[in-house]
Amino acid sequence: MTVEIEQPSLPLRQSALRSGVATGVSTLTVSGAAALAGAYLAHEFGRNARTDGFLAAYGVYLVIVLAAQAFRLVIVPDLTRAAAHARLPAEFASYASALLALGIPCSVLAALFADELGDLLTGNLPASAASIAASALVWIVPAAFLQTLAALCASALAARDSYVVAAAGYALGALAGLLVFFVLANDHGLVSLAWGLALNGTISAVVPLVALIYAGHLRGTRRGGVAIWPRVKKLMQAAAVPLALQGLYVIALRGASGLGEGNQTSLTFAFLFASTLVAATASSLSLISSAPLTRRGLDADSASAHVLHASWLSLTLIGAAAGVFALVGGRVVSFVLGDAYSGDVGHDLGQLVVYLSPWVVGAVAFSVIFPLLFVLEKPRVLVPVAVLAIAVHIPLSLLLRAAFGLRGLVLALAITTFLLILALMAAVSWRMLVLTSVGLVRTALLITALAVVSFGLPNLLLGGFGAALVGLVLYVGILALARPRGLVEAWRYVRVLHN
């Protein structure tokens, strides 16, 4: 199936490379701010029941915010088509009303039932964990829904081929929220991080909204009217798989609580690092590609080619990061997070990031494949796939946790994620499933082999930071000399994506 739309008169488009760099830098800024907040949290508050409680609540925030990032991918095709037919104001108003119809009731319910939710999230942990989780949820839930509004505004700008303003808004919001935490943490404790997240969401939404209004993109007649409930239905449908995917993490987080105090905190930090790798690479490429792919049109072959090009670029960068972390991750963790994460705890956390590598490959593929279902207008499969993923993951995580502990929970995440993306590719076409699966496996194996050789040999001779540095030089050098065909084609592809 090929989807094409009328080509409107639009401003000169930025190159995909420039847009991707701006989006990637913004993502790294947001992730860096989160990492600094995590490091400060670790140094100031240690690794205990209260940090477990707060990070359990933070898991809820991650679920909604990562769903918001998925909304950006889902909404862009609709807004792009709307912009092509002078319906952008009506489409924007419809989606904004739908998000408010979801966000306001959820925020009110989170405030009314905060204590009960805190108990549910922290399980058998001490009462102090449930207390801080409840206090955080009151702020965290509305903060997360502000991020969904920010995603809508960023998507509307993307429909007009504008990415830099939204990227700046996300970066400014993240830095302002981090500043609030730094300033207020000593006097008000962990809940000040929740306040910072609320400010973060406000700035992230207001900056692109002001840009939309100032540029006049929301002016004019609202042709087609404002339809709220159809958008609510579509958002819930679109959110099904992203929420299920992040729900797998929440299930793992809940499972980690049964392995002893501190394991939820360790899993959270490892997952944040792995998620940052995915967000700065595959997610950034997906954010800048939905609009041009919607205008250009796709079929099974071009959809598969897009996934493989994006995977080559993403996994090449991730392979280098994973190699460095495999060698010195434990030392980096103990240096950044403090004495509570030194010794065996830091080493285990660093190794946990390495064990998350298969999940990272699956998450990269998901980040690229998921928006294509909306470009191709094939979203009906999403709800059943989401339900099936949760149904499979719960017994699988229990079984693997019993066998391998925390590493078993990470392995269960990877297995369920791969099953999910196979189902999504089959929903597009069996041809895409075969082409993409073969190409993705080949790419992942090649990058893995390159990383093992580049970092493994120096580790045998040097060890530590010296081995990591030499390994990184070897990794880049081999790529520069070998110039793998897949990587060269992927680079050419992204350079002309917006043409």
Side-chain angles (χ1 to χ4, degrees):
M1 175 180 179
T2 301
V3 179
E4 295 181 353
I5 67 172
E6 173 187 348
Q7 290 289 344
S9 176
L10 287 172
L12 182 63
R13 295 172 189 153
Q14 303 174 36
S15 73
L17 185 60
R18 189 189 320 154
S19 300
V21 169
T23 305
V25 169
S26 173
T27 301
L28 286 174
T29 302
V30 172
S31 300
L36 288 173
Y40 187 70
L41 181 152
H43 279 282
E44 292 296 315
F45 300 100
R47 180 176 179 266
N48 50 50
R50 288 183 65 80
T51 61
D52 280 352
F54 181 86
L55 291 173
Y58 187 71
V60 175
Y61 176 82
L62 283 180
V63 167
I64 301 175
V65 168
L66 291 171
Q69 296 307 308
F71 289 160
R72 289 182 70 179
L73 304 175
V74 168
I75 295 169
V76 168
D78 279 354
L79 294 179
T80 301
R81 297 182 186 104
H85 299 98
R87 293 187 296 101
L88 184 58
E91 198 74 13
F92 180 89
S94 296
Y95 272 116
S97 300
L99 288 174
L100 290 173
L102 291 172
I104 292 174
C106 288
S107 298
V108 171
L109 289 173
L112 291 176
F113 298 100
D115 291 337
E116 291 80 2
L117 291 171
D119 288 334
L120 179 64
L121 287 171
T122 54
N124 297 324
L125 292 174
S128 59
S131 176
I132 189 62
S135 298
L137 283 170
V138 174
W139 293 93
I140 275 177
V141 173
F145 276 103
L146 281 169
Q147 292 287 352
T148 67
L149 290 175
L152 172 60
C153 295
S155 298
L157 287 172
R160 304 299 299 182
D161 290 303
S162 173
Y163 299 90
V164 175
V165 172
Y170 278 112
L172 288 173
L175 294 174
L178 178 64
L179 181 61
V180 166
F181 181 43
F182 283 170
V183 171
L184 300 180
N186 283 336
D187 293 332
H188 300 278
L190 284 168
V191 74
S192 61
L193 179 52
W195 299 344
L197 293 174
L199 178 62
N200 180 354
T202 301
I203 294 174
S204 298
V206 167
V207 169
L209 178 60
V210 169
L212 282 168
I213 296 171
Y214 180 78
H217 295 321
L218 302 182
R219 280 195 228 119
T221 58
R222 293 180 176 175
R223 286 173 47 189
V226 176
I228 299 175
W229 293 112
R231 301 307 187 282
V232 171
K233 180 180 178 181
K234 185 164 186 177
L235 286 174
M236 293 178 69
Q237 181 186 52
V241 172
L243 284 177
L245 192 62
Q246 300 310 315
L248 305 183
Y249 162 67
V250 173
I251 292 170
L253 200 63
R254 180 64 178 82
S257 70
L259 296 174
E261 187 174 306
N263 280 292
Q264 281 186 317
T265 301
S266 292
L267 180 58
T268 297
F269 282 123
F271 187 81
L272 282 174
F273 179 80
S275 298
T276 298
L277 296 178
V278 177
T281 54
S283 296
S284 295
L285 285 172
S286 294
L287 288 172
I288 65 162
S289 63
S290 291
L293 290 177
T294 300
R295 298 188 189 99
R296 182 186 304 174
L298 283 175
D299 56 20
D301 286 5
S302 57
S304 177
H306 174 73
V307 173
L308 295 178
H309 289 323
S311 297
W312 253 109
L313 292 173
S314 302
L315 293 178
T316 298
L317 295 173
I318 289 170
V324 171
F325 216 88
L327 299 187
V328 296
R331 298 183 186 183
V332 172
V333 165
S334 61
F335 173 76
V336 173
L337 300 183
D339 293 340
Y341 296 85
S342 61
D344 290 341
V345 172
H347 177 268
D348 290 345
L349 200 158
Q351 290 300 305
L352 194 60
V353 173
V354 177
Y355 281 105
L356 273 166
S357 295
W359 174 85
V360 168
V361 175
V364 163
F366 170 79
S367 297
V368 182
I369 292 167
F370 175 68
L372 299 186
L373 273 76
F374 293 87
V375 174
L376 293 164
E377 299 183 272
K378 291 188 175 184
R380 293 183 180 178
V381 70
L382 295 175
V383 172
V385 166
V387 173
L388 183 61
I390 295 293
V392 168
H393 186 68
I394 292 174
L396 181 64
S397 62
L398 290 173
L399 178 65
L400 292 178
R401 184 185 72 165
F404 305 109
L406 200 56
R407 293 171 182 174
L409 292 172
V410 167
L411 179 60
L413 274 174
I415 292 173
T416 309
T417 301
F418 274 108
L419 292 175
L420 189 149
I421 61 174
L422 289 174
L424 294 185
M425 287 190 291
V428 175
S429 75
W430 285 103
R431 179 173 175 78
M432 181 186 177
L433 172 62
V434 173
L435 290 175
T436 308
S437 297
V438 172
L440 187 62
V441 169
R442 185 187 298 122
T443 302
L445 289 177
L446 182 58
I447 296 297
T448 300
L450 174 60
V452 169
V453 171
S454 299
F455 292 94
L457 293 177
N459 190 47
L460 293 176
L461 300 174
L462 300 174
F465 286 99
L469 179 59
V470 172
L472 187 60
V473 172
L474 282 175
Y475 184 89
V476 174
I478 292 173
L479 284 175
L481 293 174
R483 293 174 58 85
R485 179 180 175 184
L487 182 59
V488 172
E489 291 179 350
W491 181 253
R492 290 173 180 166
Y493 174 81
V494 76
R495 286 178 62 87
V496 300
L497 185 60
H498 282 190
N499 293 343

